[in-house]
Amino acid sequence: MAGRLGTPAEVKDRLQGLLSAVLAIGSDLDLPTVLDRIVSTAMDLAGARYGALGVLAPSGDHLEEFITAGLSDEQRAGLAGVEFPHGRGVLGHLIRHPEPLRVDDIPSHPASVGFPPGHPPMRTLLGVAITVRGEIYGDLYLSERHDGRPFDENDEEIVRALAGAAGIAIENARLFGYMRDSAEQFQRLLLPTLPRLAPFSGAAVYRTAAEPAGVGGDWYDAAVLPDQACAAVIGDVVGHDLHAAAAMAQARNMLRALLYDRRTPPSAVLTRLDRAVHAITDLPVTTVCLARIEPAAGGWTLHWSTAGHLPPLIVGPDGRTTYLDADPGIPLGVDPDVHRPDHTHPLPAGTTVLLFTDGLVEHPGHSLDDRLAVLAGLAAAHATRPLDDLVRLLADHHPSDGHDDMAVLAIRTPAAR
């Protein structure tokens, strides 16, 4: 290929550009981002004014997606309401005949059917198919070199080389998406659907880590106990693998059994859980916050104990927020004989108790105190929302970097009568 690209300096520049382009399209694992980068980098390599990538439908006979680049805002406005091409005309020719296609005058091509109203004028075309695992995934189209000349053999060669790397990048992104979706589905199957908590209300949300195979150990549970207290727990098993997920499921199941069996302070329940997992399982280090919302004169009392976990966030009906900073105790899996502290805090009617894992707030570029303050502000601004909306909003706008799985559990005391 090098001999046909031009002078040695031109060869060096174009090959360097190709290598940079390959790195660019392979540097992300989000499929829409990868597809956009394929189009933009191909345009850069060939000096094209316009670019597009048509993704074939499973049937292989028409386009189901069409990604474009190079159109101005005015040109996009002119095409408003016009459906994207479905693979007729010159574009359809490349679908039926997936060899590289260079056209010097589109209107004169035998397959041309013209452009829809509002379409910018285009005369030249370079089309190259993109193959993934031996199957045609889609077609890459370029039009109108900036210098006004038709696309030449050099353009075709370098765009074909890019298309080969693009197939690998697309497959990697699709595999990542499959693994991420499978991990999230598996994790959700392990986590409970919250039961009816009347007279309390509750909601929870879980989000997987941004990394592939991000199945992890974040978990939550809540239940109204026989003594009419509402128990709520959130935990985080160290690790992001199937072992952590299995350990999480074991700990959650044992804890629920202990909660129903013993009306003891949260600290005692955590101690029993710690001793049980030491005796019968190989539980990794685990942080937990266990709380009981108990009836009290004139309202409710929060009775809680933590095992190395982040403190509960209390959100009043007036939007005032308070972190219940207290002795957190040591995580499970360290030493079951170490004393665990208990704490109490009054809860007025309509108060929300938020429990969450560190994936919601940890960010390498900010202090934990700063991220906790941001979370408190976000919760305060939306304190009166229904709990389902509130937990989703906190997860959607989390102040963390998103590189860890996260769980949020919210319990609200009954409103004043």
Side-chain angles (χ1 to χ4, degrees):
M1 181 177 76
R4 292 177 292 180
L5 287 177
T7 67
E10 291 172 336
V11 170
K12 181 179 179 181
D13 289 344
R14 298 200 85 178
L15 289 180
Q16 184 60 49
L18 175 61
L19 291 175
S20 299
V22 169
L23 289 174
I25 64 175
S27 63
D28 203 291
L29 290 172
D30 176 66
L31 183 57
T33 301
V34 169
L35 299 182
D36 286 337
R37 286 184 179 175
I38 290 170
V39 179
S40 60
T41 52
M43 291 168 59
D44 291 341
L45 285 176
R49 187 181 303 275
Y50 304 108
L53 175 57
V55 179
L56 288 179
S59 62
D61 59 358
H62 68 280
L63 302 177
E64 68 173 6
E65 188 176 359
F66 201 68
I67 299 105
T68 63
L71 296 175
S72 66
D73 292 340
E74 292 77 13
Q75 289 169 334
R76 291 187 183 278
L79 291 171
V82 177
E83 291 187 356
F84 70 77
H86 290 277
R88 298 187 303 113
V90 179
L91 303 188
H93 178 87
L94 189 59
I95 294 174
R96 296 185 297 272
H97 307 283
E99 298 82 13
L101 175 67
R102 277 188 284 136
V103 178
D104 293 348
D105 186 43
I106 295 174
S108 300
H109 192 278
S112 177
V113 294
F115 295 107
H119 196 284
M122 295 183 185
R123 183 177 57 87
T124 61
L125 177 73
L126 170 60
V128 176
I130 295 177
T131 301
V132 176
R133 287 186 172 270
E135 300 289 335
I136 302 297
Y137 175 83
D139 297 310
L140 179 60
Y141 307 101
L142 301 175
S143 183
E144 300 302 290
R145 277 179 34 161
H146 286 291
D147 61 9
R149 299 166 56 189
F151 295 102
D152 57 27
E153 187 176 1
N154 292 340
D155 299 319
E156 179 183 323
E157 290 285 356
I158 202 161
V159 173
R160 285 182 65 185
L162 177 69
I168 297 173
I170 291 170
E171 176 61 12
N172 288 343
R174 292 201 305 184
L175 179 61
F176 169 81
Y178 172 78
M179 294 174 67
R180 180 184 55 201
D181 294 345
S182 298
E184 184 168 0
Q185 182 180 16
F186 176 68
Q187 185 84 8
R188 291 186 188 282
L189 289 173
L190 294 176
L191 291 170
T193 299
L194 292 185
R196 187 170 178 268
L197 299 175
F200 306 92
S201 55
V205 66
Y206 169 78
R207 299 284 170 82
T208 55
E211 299 301 323
V215 60
D218 285 23
W219 54 286
Y220 57 80
D221 202 357
V224 175
L225 303 178
D227 62 355
Q228 302 308 305
C230 180
V233 61
I234 200 158
D236 188 357
V237 178
V238 173
H240 292 87
D241 53 23
L242 292 177
H243 178 60
M248 171 272 289
Q250 288 179 314
R252 182 181 66 81
N253 292 339
M254 284 190 285
L255 181 57
R256 177 171 276 203
L258 288 170
L259 286 171
Y260 275 95
D261 182 60
R262 295 179 174 272
R263 302 181 187 181
T264 50
S267 63
V269 175
L270 289 179
T271 296
R272 288 297 300 264
L273 176 63
D274 203 1
R275 288 174 177 165
V277 296
H278 263 80
I280 62 179
T281 71
D282 181 25
L283 183 73
V285 172
T286 302
T287 67
V288 181
C289 181
L290 172 61
R292 281 171 51 97
I293 303 177
E294 304 165 348
W300 308 87
T301 295
L302 181 68
H303 193 171
W304 84 98
S305 182
T306 63
H309 202 82
L310 292 169
L313 173 61
I314 305 302
V315 185
D318 58 358
R320 294 183 182 180
T321 59
T322 303
Y323 282 106
L324 300 182
D325 292 307
D327 185 351
I330 65 171
L332 304 183
V334 178
D335 186 346
D337 295 322
V338 173
H339 170 73
R340 295 190 175 282
D342 276 293
H343 315 283
T344 60
H345 186 81
L347 296 178
T351 298
T352 301
V353 179
L354 282 172
L355 307 179
F356 52 93
T357 56
D358 56 10
L360 187 71
V361 291
E362 286 190 338
H363 194 299
H366 300 271
S367 69
L368 180 59
D369 287 344
D370 173 75
R371 298 295 87 187
L372 289 172
V374 173
L375 177 65
L378 187 61
H382 302 280
T384 59
R385 286 192 176 223
L387 288 188
D388 284 331
D389 292 345
L390 177 61
V391 295
R392 281 196 297 267
L393 186 145
L394 296 179
D396 289 342
H397 301 281
H398 58 84
S400 72
D401 64 352
H403 281 76
D404 194 3
D405 48 338
M406 62 185 74
V408 186
L409 173 63
I411 305 294
R412 183 171 289 165
T413 60
R417 295 178 180 178

